[in-house]
Each structure stands twice: as C-alpha cells, then as structure tokens.
C-alpha cells in the first residue's frame, strides 16, 4: 500500500488510528514491565529478610549451645543487632521424651508487629549428659 502511495504521488505515513494503536500497545507493554520489575524487587527484599532472619535464629541456637545451661520449659525473648538491623527473637523450650534433650523453637522478626521472618527448630543436649 505504501509503494502505491509513492507511485501515485500521495503523501505517505501512518494514520492517526495506527499511531494510537501502537501507543496503546506500547503503554500496556511498559506497564506490565514496570509491574514485573516491582514484583521482582519485593520478592528479592523478602528473600533477603528471611535469609537474615534464619541466620539470626541459627546463631541464637548456637549461643544457647555454647552457654551450656539447661533451660527450663517456657519462653525466652530478646533482641539483637545483626547486619545493621535490630532483630527480635523468641525461643520456646519444650521437654522431650528423652530427659537429656530439650526442643527449642526460635521465631525471628525484624519488627514487633511484623511477620515471622524465620522459624527454626533444634535441640539442646543436657550439659555433661
């Protein structure tokens, strides 16, 4: 069609409708691309928080082991600094059928009202047992 307009001496170009359709398609594609980028950034941030939370939980479990104390059944809470952030942890100590083992469940949050970033379960052996 464009070759025909050149041969006949008519001005060639896109119609207003063709331009509007192209711009609409471009706007939809760019919108989808921006949303995907935002979703990806949020996912990466969440993964980073869960990874750091897991490291805090694992470190706290190792601290309990190094203390060499025999904890009573119950809950213990505290906070600590890790990777430039304040983390809140809660440890639940439960007896087990083996009298020389205590089950420890650690939950870690990055803020008081936030979701649990990591949950870790481990066991402590009675010192000298």
């Amino acid at each position: 069609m464009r070759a025909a307009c050149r041969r006949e001496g008519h001005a060639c170009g896109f119609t207003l409708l063709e331009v509007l359709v192209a711009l609409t398609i471009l706007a939809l594609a760019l919108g989808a691309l921006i949303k995907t980028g935002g979703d990806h950034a949020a996912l990466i941030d969440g993964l980073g928080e869960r990874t750091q939370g897991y490291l805090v939980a694992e470190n706290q479990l190792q601290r309990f082991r190094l203390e060499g104390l025999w904890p009573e059944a119950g809950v213990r809470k505290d906070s600590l600094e890790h990777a430039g952030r304040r983390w809140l942890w809660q440890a639940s100590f439960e007896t087990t059928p083996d009298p020389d083992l205590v089950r420890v469940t650690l939950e870690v949050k990055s803020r008081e009202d936030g979701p649990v970033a990591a949950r870790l379960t481990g066991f402590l052996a009675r010192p000298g047992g």
Side-chain angles (χ1 to χ4, degrees), residues 1-126:
M1 175 122 186
R2 302 227 188 284
C5 74
R6 284 190 195 117
R7 275 194 305 259
E8 297 171 4
H10 297 289
C12 296
F14 294 106
T15 65
L16 179 59
L17 182 59
E18 290 172 327
V19 171
L20 290 176
V21 168
L23 287 175
T24 302
I25 292 170
L26 181 63
L28 290 173
L30 289 176
L33 185 62
I34 289 170
K35 181 177 180 345
T36 301
D39 291 348
H40 182 70
L43 177 67
I44 294 298
D45 185 49
L47 287 174
E49 182 165 326
R50 286 192 296 271
T51 300
Q52 292 300 320
Y54 179 78
L55 290 173
V56 168
E58 183 65 38
N59 287 343
Q60 193 57 47
L61 182 60
Q62 295 306 324
R63 282 188 183 107
F64 291 147
R65 289 180 176 142
L66 290 173
E67 283 177 0
L69 301 175
W70 187 244
E72 297 292 324
V75 176
R76 191 169 152 190
K77 296 180 182 183
D78 205 350
S79 66
L80 57 86
E81 290 288 323
H82 174 79
R85 292 176 71 178
R86 181 173 169 258
W87 296 88
L88 308 166
W89 59 263
Q90 174 178 306
S92 301
F93 301 96
E94 303 170 42
T95 59
T96 65
D98 184 340
D100 291 329
L101 284 180
V102 171
R103 177 184 168 143
V104 181
T105 303
L106 279 149
E107 291 184 347
V108 177
K109 296 180 177 184
S110 62
R111 60 185 190 279
E112 191 71 40
D113 61 343
V116 173
R119 183 175 288 117
L120 177 68
T121 300
F123 294 88
L124 297 177
R126 185 183 300 273

